[in-house]
Amino acid sequence: MDDAVQRAFRAIRSLEVPDDELSEPFRQAIPIGGVSVSSFGAIGTNETISASDDTASRVDEIQFDLTEGPCWTALRRRAPVLEGDIIRHPNTEWPAFNDAVRGEAVRAVFAFPIVFGPFPLGAVDVYATEPTELDDEQVEFGSALATAMGRRVLRRVVRAVEDEDALLDRNPFSRRVVHQATGVVLAQLDITPDDATLLIQGHAFARRTSMRQVAEEIISGVVRFEQHGGLIEDVR
């Protein structure tokens, strides 16, 4: 086994490596581009735990905002998703993701599901700036490392239940602000929580920005919604 892969396994299993640094050993083991480690799905909150760079973080954020993309497919299938050229050969399952990611320096995306026993927990995403293919050994190592990540992510999910405020506040990629903004919208409008989230999502999509950016503006009062008859308007 490659030395970088062995070091990655040791880092993932070591409690001395902080959660927000978990992307780096994975990036060194499969050195083709940026890496993000995220949790999402039925058990944990949607959050980027670690990202190697701004582009990796942004690709995660796009997928969370749109609830589609390689990480969602990988976790649903519990199998790696390997897209070597998303510009020339876009995956038809992700029309919104394909459109949103065109403005990013991303040509290839690979996602490996994070699971622990019966629990689907998240995914590791790897991107490359040029069309790229992974060989069988890289896919095998990526899958094994993502599986090893399952224990770390499940432990984090359990800690989040026990110490939610402290854990989310420490994470620079936390999407807690989106949940807070949903509560603000609910206070402004007579709609369901799902519709409040959808309203924020639609507002972000229309403005070509992120849900987190819109959420911050809602919380600060820059963006406010009002209901007039059957219409909802944003007031600035």
Side-chain angles (χ1 to χ4, degrees), residues 203 207 212-223 236:
H203 201 70
R207 290 175 49 195
R212 185 162 53 182
Q213 175 63 38
V214 173
E216 290 173 350
E217 293 175 359
I218 290 171
I219 291 173
S220 68
V222 173
V223 172
R236 301 193 184 198

Side-chain angles (χ1 to χ4, degrees), residues 68-90:
E68 72 173 46
C71 71
W72 294 96
T73 301
L75 191 60
R76 184 178 70 252
R77 295 178 179 173
R78 296 203 177 197
V81 170
L82 312 171
E83 297 292 340
D85 190 340
I86 61 174
I87 302 301
R88 294 186 62 188
H89 306 290

Side-chain angles (χ1 to χ4, degrees), residues 58-59 61-73 81-110 205 208:
R58 177 62 182 146
V59 171
E61 191 166 43
I62 288 171
Q63 293 183 86
F64 287 149
D65 286 357
L66 300 176
T67 61
E68 72 173 46
C71 71
W72 294 96
T73 301
V81 170
L82 312 171
E83 297 292 340
D85 190 340
I86 61 174
I87 302 301
R88 294 186 62 188
H89 306 290
N91 190 309
T92 57
E93 292 184 32
W94 318 322
F97 173 81
N98 292 334
D99 182 60
V101 84
R102 285 184 186 275
E104 306 296 329
V106 176
R107 283 297 297 270
V109 291
F110 309 96
F205 184 79
R208 292 285 187 175

Side-chain angles (χ1 to χ4, degrees), residues 3-236:
D3 288 345
V5 175
Q6 291 180 336
R7 288 194 298 271
F9 274 116
R10 288 196 296 269
I12 290 169
R13 292 165 179 160
S14 172
L15 297 180
E16 295 181 2
V17 177
D19 289 351
D20 61 4
E21 295 180 8
L22 287 173
S23 58
E24 184 57 23
F26 203 105
R27 188 192 66 80
Q28 293 181 6
I30 304 180
I32 64 167
V35 174
S36 65
V37 179
S38 58
S39 69
F40 56 91
I43 297 178
T45 57
N46 293 2
E47 66 164 337
T48 300
I49 296 171
S50 176
S52 63
D53 53 66
D54 290 342
T55 299
S57 175
R58 177 62 182 146
V59 171
D60 252 15
E61 191 166 43
I62 288 171
Q63 293 183 86
F64 287 149
D65 286 357
L66 300 176
T67 61
E68 72 173 46
C71 71
W72 294 96
T73 301
L75 191 60
R76 184 178 70 252
R77 295 178 179 173
R78 296 203 177 197
V81 170
L82 312 171
E83 297 292 340
D85 190 340
I86 61 174
I87 302 301
R88 294 186 62 188
H89 306 290
N91 190 309
T92 57
E93 292 184 32
W94 318 322
F97 173 81
N98 292 334
D99 182 60
V101 84
R102 285 184 186 275
E104 306 296 329
V106 176
R107 283 297 297 270
V109 291
F110 309 96
F112 301 90
I114 298 175
V115 298
F116 185 83
F119 303 116
L121 299 168
V124 177
D125 279 1
V126 183
Y127 82 86
T129 58
E130 300 293 336
T132 304
E133 299 294 339
L134 298 184
D135 60 35
D136 291 344
E137 187 175 56
Q138 288 174 313
V139 174
E140 180 183 352
F141 288 156
S143 298
L145 288 168
T147 298
M149 203 83 72
R151 186 181 298 275
R152 291 290 298 264
V153 175
L154 182 57
R155 185 182 294 117
R156 182 181 178 86
V157 169
V158 172
R159 289 207 320 270
V161 173
E162 297 174 346
D163 188 18
E164 179 178 8
D165 289 344
L167 184 60
L168 290 176
D169 288 343
R170 287 194 297 269
N171 181 9
F173 307 110
S174 172
R175 290 175 63 83
R176 181 183 187 182
V177 66
V178 176
H179 300 295
Q180 292 174 330
T182 300
V184 173
V185 174
L186 286 174
Q188 295 172 351
L189 304 172
D190 183 22
I191 58 178
T192 67
D194 284 346
D195 283 347
T197 301
L198 185 61
L199 185 62
I200 297 172
Q201 183 182 38
H203 201 70
F205 184 79
R207 290 175 49 195
R208 292 285 187 175
T209 188
S210 67
M211 288 180 70
R212 185 162 53 182
Q213 175 63 38
V214 173
E216 290 173 350
E217 293 175 359
I218 290 171
I219 291 173
S220 68
V222 173
V223 172
R224 182 167 55 86
F225 295 102
E226 292 183 355
Q227 198 161 12
H228 300 284
L231 299 177
I232 295 174
E233 300 177 355
D234 65 285
V235 182
R236 301 193 184 198

